[in-house]
Amino acid sequence: MTLETLKSAVPPGVMVAPHGSRTAENRRMLAAFRWNLRVLSYIALVVGAFLVYNTISVSVVRRRAEIGIVRALGATRGAVLAAFLGEAAALGLTGAMAGLLVGRVMAQSAVGLVAATVGSLYVSSTPAPIQLTLEIAIPGVLLGVLVSMISALAPAWEASRSDTRGGDVAGTPGP
């Protein structure tokens, strides 16, 4: 049977199309889905950077006396800066590793849900398995650590500039 014969044989309102004709539509839908996920991942990265910034800022304020003591004992400004950036790197590494694990589980769940929706509304298909390779994971972890350290740079710089001339705990200069 030809396509024209089939079209004439079906009732009005029924669409007859060759197999795979909606592939372009499915590709556009998946491209939009990937774009949305990418934007959401950038938002998550910004939120994480904000949390690290606030955590290190509070840490600097609460440790003002300890910073003064360490500086008075001979620690350089660079050592204080390195200590807070190291703390930020540890937070970034922990967050990135947890993000990999939680993201993998959430991705598997999301693919299952999207596959069910696509299968019931559009076309029956089987999604490819989620792949988390070292080529994806390592740059992701490094990016998480880098963003964490960049977001902690301002409060760490402030901590390294603390004056050691005998100020009180609040950081006001002494006599």
Side-chain angles (χ1 to χ4, degrees):
M1 274 187 149
T2 67
L3 188 60
E4 292 304 319
T5 308
L6 281 174
K7 285 183 179 179
S8 65
V10 297
V14 175
M15 186 175 89
V16 176
H19 179 70
S21 64
R22 297 182 72 183
T23 301
E25 181 182 328
N26 290 339
R27 288 187 195 281
R28 281 193 307 274
M29 181 183 65
L30 288 173
F33 183 69
R34 284 188 186 109
W35 186 83
N36 286 335
L37 288 177
R38 182 161 298 177
V39 168
L40 288 173
S41 69
Y42 294 146
I43 291 170
L45 199 58
V46 169
V47 168
F50 180 72
L51 290 173
V52 169
Y53 173 82
N54 282 332
T55 300
I56 299 299
S57 292
V58 168
S59 180
V60 167
V61 169
R62 296 189 86 184
R63 295 182 189 167
R64 184 82 59 198
E66 289 89 353
I67 295 168
I69 292 170
V70 169
R71 290 277 289 131
L73 291 174
T76 64
R77 293 180 191 271
V80 173
L81 178 71
F84 281 101
L85 289 180
E87 184 177 338
L91 287 171
L93 182 63
T94 303
M97 297 302 287
L100 281 176
L101 296 175
V102 172
R104 173 76 167 87
V105 171
M106 290 177 70
Q108 189 68 40
S109 300
V111 165
L113 292 172
V114 169
T117 302
V118 168
S120 66
L121 295 178
Y122 298 104
V123 64
S124 137
S125 65
T126 303
I130 301 293
Q131 295 180 358
L132 181 60
T133 62
L134 286 178
E135 291 82 19
I136 296 169
I138 290 174
V141 169
L142 292 175
L143 180 64
V145 171
L146 179 66
V147 168
S148 178
M149 291 177 70
I150 289 170
S151 66
L153 195 55
W157 183 261
E158 178 188 334
S160 73
R161 298 295 151 212
S162 292
D163 195 3
T164 60
R165 292 178 294 163
D168 66 5
V169 175
T172 58

